[in-house]
Every structure is written in structure tokens, then in C-alpha cells.
Amino acid sequence: MTKNDGLEESAPSQPHYHGHRDRLRERFATVGGAGLQDYELLELLLFRLLPRRDTKPIAKAMLDKFGSFSEALGAPPHLLEEIDGLGPTAITDLKVILAAAQRIGRDAIKNKPILSSWSEVIDYCKAQMAYEAKEQFRILFLDKKNRLIADEVQQTGTVDHTPVYPREVIKRSLELSATALVLVHNHPSGDPAPSSADIQMTRQIAEIAQPLGISLHDHIIIGRSGHASLRGMKLF
């Protein structure tokens, strides 16, 4: 007699979600990401980060809380911590994935004339800033062929204000030998409509830059609901 009284030990059963994971991977291989819903794509990301958890309810909880795939990935860590099942390691890994996606976006506009790939520029700015909890003011510095020299965050402010100093903007432009600029900042409220302060600051920078041979192509305001172009609105 064995210790199991002659009965063979049964193999441990697989968790119920393993078959689901295999099926979802097969669907992705067949139809790609465009054929999956937001929660399914989030599940696929979470499979690797949480190999011993059922990730479907976690993915759905993230979407319920944040609203979309992009907002879930861009949510600040302290809010992600409120999702049951997401710990510090998984949250850090999500931020690595976000950073990788942002880097891909930057590379898509690098070494291209900015003005001929404007939709990619807008997409890049949205990926970088649309879901930030605080205002950021960043500058795309361009060379004489309107190719990207540098993309720098100049200031980070509060939820509704970022201090911007026009002379510092011009000083940095001269240091980089930039001949054109695109200003970008986000509105965490979601509404990209420019404020009177946004308009005044843009005009100040344009006025200082022009005599120095530096063109201000645009000032783009990014919000969750879209974007606004001060040049397109003829505000400077």
C-alpha cells in the first residue's frame, strides 16, 4: 500500500484562467491588437506582470476607474495602487511599457520635418501629456529644416498652472541653435481651450523670438478630449 492507499496522485488542476489566456493569445496572433477590446489588450499586458492572477477582473477594474486603455496606462501610481491586485512591481512594469510606447512615438517624428508629419506630432504629444495629473510645459526645438533637435519639459506645475518664463525659452533655444519652436502644454482638466494667460505667454515668446530669427510654429494645448492649436485659432 502506498501512502495514498493505492490511489494514484491526481495532477494538480490548472487555474481556470489558463485556457482563457491561451485563447486570447491566439486571437491576438490572428487579428492583432486592433481586433481586441481595451480590457483584452490590458489583460495581455497583465499576463506577464501577474502570472498567478486572473487578470480579467483587474483589467476591467482599471477601465472602470480610468475610462480608457490610455488613461489606465497613464494613471499616476498612487491611483493604480487602489486597484485590487496591482502591487508596486506590476505598477512599475506598466510604467516601463508606457515609457516604451512614448519612446516609439518620439522616434516616429525624429529626423522628419515636423510640419510634414503634423498628425504624428499631435499623436506624440497626446501620448506624452494627455493623461498627466499636473500641467507640463514642453518645447519641441527644431533646426532650419524643421527637424526635431530636442524635446524638453521646461516646467511642471500644479493641476491648473505652470509658470513659464519667455526669456528662459529663448535662452534655451539659442543654446541649442534652434531656428523654430513648437510649444506644448497639457490641461489636466481635459479641456484644451486656451486661457488668456496661455495666449499672452505665447504672444510674448513669439515677439521675443522673431527678431532673433526664431520662428514659433505653434502652441498646442493637449487635453483628454482633444487638442487646441493657437496658430490654427489665429491667436498669435
Coordinates of all heavy atoms in Angstrom, one line a residue, residues 77-121:
P77 N 0.8 56.4 -10.2 CA 0.9 55.2 -9.4 C 0.0 55.1 -8.2 O -0.5 54.1 -7.9 CB 2.4 55.2 -9.1 CG 3.1 55.9 -10.2 CD 2.1 57.0 -10.6
H78 N -0.2 56.3 -7.5 CA -0.9 56.2 -6.3 C -2.4 55.9 -6.6 O -3.1 55.3 -5.7 CB -0.8 57.6 -5.5 CG -1.6 58.7 -6.1 ND1 -1.1 59.5 -7.2 CD2 -2.8 59.2 -5.9 CE1 -2.0 60.4 -7.5 NE2 -3.0 60.3 -6.7
L79 N -2.9 56.1 -7.8 CA -4.2 55.7 -8.1 C -4.3 54.3 -8.6 O -5.2 53.6 -8.3 CB -4.8 56.7 -9.2 CG -5.1 58.1 -8.7 CD1 -5.7 58.9 -9.9 CD2 -6.0 58.1 -7.5
L80 N -3.2 53.9 -9.3 CA -3.1 52.4 -9.7 C -3.1 51.5 -8.5 O -3.6 50.4 -8.5 CB -1.9 52.2 -10.6 CG -2.0 52.8 -12.0 CD1 -0.7 52.8 -12.7 CD2 -3.1 52.1 -12.8
E81 N -2.5 52.0 -7.4 CA -2.4 51.2 -6.2 C -3.8 50.9 -5.6 O -3.9 49.9 -4.8 CB -1.5 51.9 -5.1 CG 0.0 52.0 -5.5 CD 0.7 52.9 -4.5 OE1 0.1 53.5 -3.6 OE2 2.0 53.0 -4.7
E82 N -4.8 51.6 -6.0 CA -6.1 51.4 -5.5 C -6.8 50.2 -6.2 O -7.9 49.8 -5.7 CB -6.9 52.7 -5.6 CG -6.4 53.9 -4.8 CD -7.2 55.2 -5.0 OE1 -8.2 55.1 -5.8 OE2 -6.8 56.2 -4.5
I83 N -6.2 49.8 -7.2 CA -6.8 48.6 -8.0 C -6.4 47.3 -7.3 O -5.1 47.1 -7.1 CB -6.3 48.6 -9.4 CG1 -6.7 49.9 -10.1 CG2 -6.9 47.4 -10.1 CD1 -8.2 50.1 -10.3
D84 N -7.3 46.5 -6.8 CA -7.0 45.3 -6.1 C -6.3 44.3 -7.1 O -6.7 44.1 -8.2 CB -8.3 44.6 -5.7 CG -8.1 43.3 -4.9 OD1 -7.0 43.3 -4.2 OD2 -8.9 42.4 -5.0
G85 N -5.1 43.9 -6.7 CA -4.3 43.0 -7.5 C -3.0 43.7 -8.1 O -2.2 43.0 -8.6
L86 N -3.0 45.0 -8.1 CA -1.8 45.7 -8.6 C -0.9 46.1 -7.5 O -1.3 47.0 -6.7 CB -2.3 46.9 -9.4 CG -2.9 46.7 -10.8 CD1 -3.1 48.1 -11.5 CD2 -1.9 45.9 -11.7
G87 N 0.3 45.6 -7.5 CA 1.3 45.9 -6.5 C 2.3 46.8 -7.1 O 2.3 47.1 -8.3
P88 N 3.3 47.2 -6.3 CA 4.4 48.1 -6.7 C 5.1 47.6 -8.0 O 5.5 48.4 -8.9 CB 5.3 48.3 -5.5 CG 4.4 48.0 -4.4 CD 3.4 46.9 -4.8
T89 N 5.5 46.3 -8.0 CA 6.2 45.8 -9.1 C 5.5 45.9 -10.4 O 6.0 46.3 -11.4 CB 6.7 44.3 -8.8 OG1 7.5 44.3 -7.6 CG2 7.5 43.8 -10.0
A90 N 4.2 45.4 -10.4 CA 3.4 45.5 -11.6 C 3.1 46.9 -12.0 O 3.2 47.2 -13.3 CB 2.0 44.8 -11.3
I91 N 3.0 47.8 -11.1 CA 2.8 49.2 -11.5 C 4.0 49.8 -12.2 O 4.0 50.5 -13.2 CB 2.4 50.1 -10.3 CG1 1.0 49.7 -9.8 CG2 2.4 51.6 -10.6 CD1 0.6 50.3 -8.5
T92 N 5.2 49.5 -11.6 CA 6.4 49.9 -12.2 C 6.6 49.3 -13.6 O 7.0 50.0 -14.6 CB 7.7 49.5 -11.4 OG1 7.6 50.1 -10.1 CG2 9.0 49.9 -12.1
D93 N 6.2 48.1 -13.8 CA 6.3 47.4 -15.1 C 5.3 48.1 -16.1 O 5.6 48.3 -17.3 CB 6.0 45.9 -15.0 CG 7.1 45.2 -14.3 OD1 8.2 45.7 -14.2 OD2 6.8 44.0 -13.9
L94 N 4.1 48.5 -15.6 CA 3.2 49.2 -16.5 C 3.8 50.6 -17.0 O 3.6 51.0 -18.1 CB 1.9 49.5 -15.8 CG 0.9 48.3 -15.6 CD1 -0.2 48.6 -14.7 CD2 0.4 47.8 -17.0
K95 N 4.5 51.2 -16.1 CA 5.1 52.5 -16.4 C 6.3 52.3 -17.4 O 6.6 53.2 -18.2 CB 5.6 53.2 -15.2 CG 4.5 53.7 -14.3 CD 3.5 54.5 -15.0 CE 2.3 54.9 -14.2 NZ 1.2 55.6 -15.1
V96 N 7.0 51.2 -17.3 CA 8.0 50.8 -18.3 C 7.4 50.7 -19.7 O 7.9 51.2 -20.7 CB 8.8 49.6 -17.9 CG1 9.7 49.1 -19.0 CG2 9.6 49.8 -16.6
I97 N 6.2 50.0 -19.7 CA 5.5 49.8 -21.0 C 5.1 51.1 -21.6 O 5.2 51.4 -22.8 CB 4.3 48.9 -20.8 CG1 4.8 47.4 -20.5 CG2 3.4 48.8 -22.0 CD1 3.7 46.5 -19.9
L98 N 4.6 52.0 -20.7 CA 4.2 53.3 -21.1 C 5.4 54.1 -21.7 O 5.3 54.8 -22.7 CB 3.5 54.1 -20.0 CG 3.2 55.6 -20.2 CD1 2.1 55.7 -21.3 CD2 2.7 56.2 -18.9
A99 N 6.5 54.1 -21.0 CA 7.7 54.8 -21.4 C 8.2 54.3 -22.8 O 8.6 55.0 -23.6 CB 8.8 54.7 -20.4
A100 N 8.1 52.9 -23.0 CA 8.4 52.3 -24.3 C 7.5 52.9 -25.4 O 8.0 53.2 -26.5 CB 8.4 50.8 -24.2
A101 N 6.2 52.9 -25.1 CA 5.3 53.4 -26.1 C 5.6 54.9 -26.5 O 5.5 55.3 -27.6 CB 3.9 53.3 -25.6
Q102 N 5.9 55.7 -25.4 CA 6.2 57.1 -25.7 C 7.5 57.2 -26.5 O 7.6 58.1 -27.3 CB 6.3 57.8 -24.3 CG 5.0 57.9 -23.6 CD 5.1 58.5 -22.2 OE1 6.2 58.4 -21.6 NE2 4.1 59.1 -21.7
R103 N 8.5 56.4 -26.2 CA 9.7 56.4 -26.9 C 9.5 56.1 -28.4 O 10.1 56.7 -29.3 CB 10.7 55.4 -26.3 CG 12.1 55.5 -26.9 CD 12.9 56.8 -26.6 NE 13.0 57.1 -25.2 CZ 14.0 56.6 -24.4 NH1 14.9 55.9 -25.0 NH2 14.0 57.0 -23.2
I104 N 8.7 55.1 -28.7 CA 8.3 54.8 -30.1 C 7.7 56.0 -30.8 O 8.0 56.3 -31.9 CB 7.4 53.6 -30.1 CG1 8.1 52.3 -29.7 CG2 6.8 53.4 -31.5 CD1 7.2 51.1 -29.4
G105 N 6.8 56.7 -30.0 CA 6.2 57.9 -30.6 C 7.2 59.0 -30.9 O 7.1 59.6 -31.9
R106 N 8.2 59.2 -30.0 CA 9.2 60.1 -30.3 C 10.1 59.8 -31.5 O 10.4 60.6 -32.3 CB 10.1 60.3 -29.1 CG 11.1 61.5 -29.2 CD 12.2 61.4 -28.1 NE 13.1 60.3 -28.3 CZ 14.1 59.9 -27.5 NH1 14.2 60.6 -26.4 NH2 14.8 58.9 -27.7
D107 N 10.4 58.5 -31.6 CA 11.2 58.1 -32.7 C 10.5 58.2 -34.1 O 11.1 58.4 -35.1 CB 11.6 56.6 -32.6 CG 12.7 56.4 -31.5 OD1 13.2 57.4 -31.0 OD2 12.9 55.3 -31.1
A108 N 9.1 58.2 -34.0 CA 8.3 58.3 -35.2 C 8.4 59.7 -35.8 O 8.3 59.9 -37.0 CB 6.9 58.0 -34.9
I109 N 8.7 60.7 -35.0 CA 8.8 62.1 -35.5 C 10.3 62.6 -35.6 O 10.5 63.6 -36.2 CB 8.0 63.1 -34.7 CG1 8.6 63.2 -33.3 CG2 6.6 62.7 -34.6 CD1 8.0 64.3 -32.4
K110 N 11.2 61.8 -35.1 CA 12.6 62.2 -35.1 C 13.1 62.1 -36.6 O 12.8 61.2 -37.3 CB 13.4 61.2 -34.2 CG 14.8 61.7 -33.9 CD 15.5 60.8 -32.9 CE 16.9 61.2 -32.5 NZ 17.5 60.3 -31.6
N111 N 13.9 63.1 -36.9 CA 14.6 63.2 -38.2 C 13.6 63.4 -39.4 O 13.9 63.2 -40.5 CB 15.5 62.0 -38.5 CG 16.6 61.9 -37.5 OD1 17.2 62.9 -37.1 ND2 16.9 60.6 -37.1
K112 N 12.4 63.8 -39.0 CA 11.4 64.1 -40.1 C 11.0 65.6 -40.0 O 11.0 66.2 -38.9 CB 10.1 63.4 -39.9 CG 10.1 61.9 -40.2 CD 8.7 61.3 -40.0 CE 8.7 59.8 -40.3 NZ 7.3 59.2 -40.1
P113 N 10.8 66.3 -41.1 CA 10.3 67.7 -41.0 C 8.9 67.7 -40.2 O 8.0 67.0 -40.6 CB 10.1 68.1 -42.4 CG 11.0 67.1 -43.2 CD 11.0 65.9 -42.5
I114 N 8.9 68.4 -39.1 CA 7.8 68.4 -38.2 C 6.5 68.8 -39.0 O 5.4 68.2 -38.8 CB 8.0 69.3 -37.0 CG1 9.1 68.7 -36.1 CG2 6.7 69.6 -36.3 CD1 8.6 67.6 -35.3
L115 N 6.6 69.8 -39.8 CA 5.4 70.3 -40.4 C 4.8 69.4 -41.5 O 3.6 69.5 -41.8 CB 5.7 71.7 -41.1 CG 6.2 72.8 -40.1 CD1 6.4 74.1 -40.8 CD2 5.3 72.9 -38.9
S116 N 5.6 68.4 -41.9 CA 5.0 67.5 -42.9 C 4.5 66.2 -42.3 O 4.0 65.3 -42.9 CB 6.1 67.1 -44.0 OG 7.2 66.4 -43.4
S117 N 4.7 66.1 -41.0 CA 4.2 64.9 -40.2 C 3.4 65.4 -39.0 O 3.6 64.9 -37.9 CB 5.3 64.0 -39.8 OG 6.3 64.7 -39.1
W118 N 2.5 66.4 -39.2 CA 1.9 67.1 -38.1 C 1.0 66.1 -37.3 O 0.9 66.2 -36.1 CB 1.1 68.3 -38.6 CG 0.7 69.3 -37.6 CD1 -0.5 69.6 -37.1 CD2 1.6 70.0 -36.8 NE1 -0.5 70.5 -36.1 CE2 0.8 70.8 -35.9 CE3 3.0 70.2 -36.7 CZ2 1.4 71.7 -35.0 CZ3 3.6 71.0 -35.8 CH2 2.8 71.8 -34.9
S119 N 0.3 65.2 -38.0 CA -0.6 64.3 -37.2 C 0.2 63.4 -36.3 O -0.2 63.1 -35.2 CB -1.4 63.5 -38.2 OG -0.6 62.6 -39.0
E120 N 1.4 63.0 -36.7 CA 2.3 62.2 -35.8 C 2.8 63.0 -34.7 O 2.9 62.5 -33.5 CB 3.5 61.7 -36.6 CG 3.1 60.6 -37.6 CD 4.3 60.1 -38.4 OE1 5.3 60.8 -38.5 OE2 4.2 58.9 -38.9
V121 N 3.0 64.3 -34.9 CA 3.4 65.2 -33.8 C 2.3 65.3 -32.8 O 2.5 65.2 -31.5 CB 3.8 66.6 -34.3 CG1 4.0 67.6 -33.2 CG2 5.0 66.6 -35.2

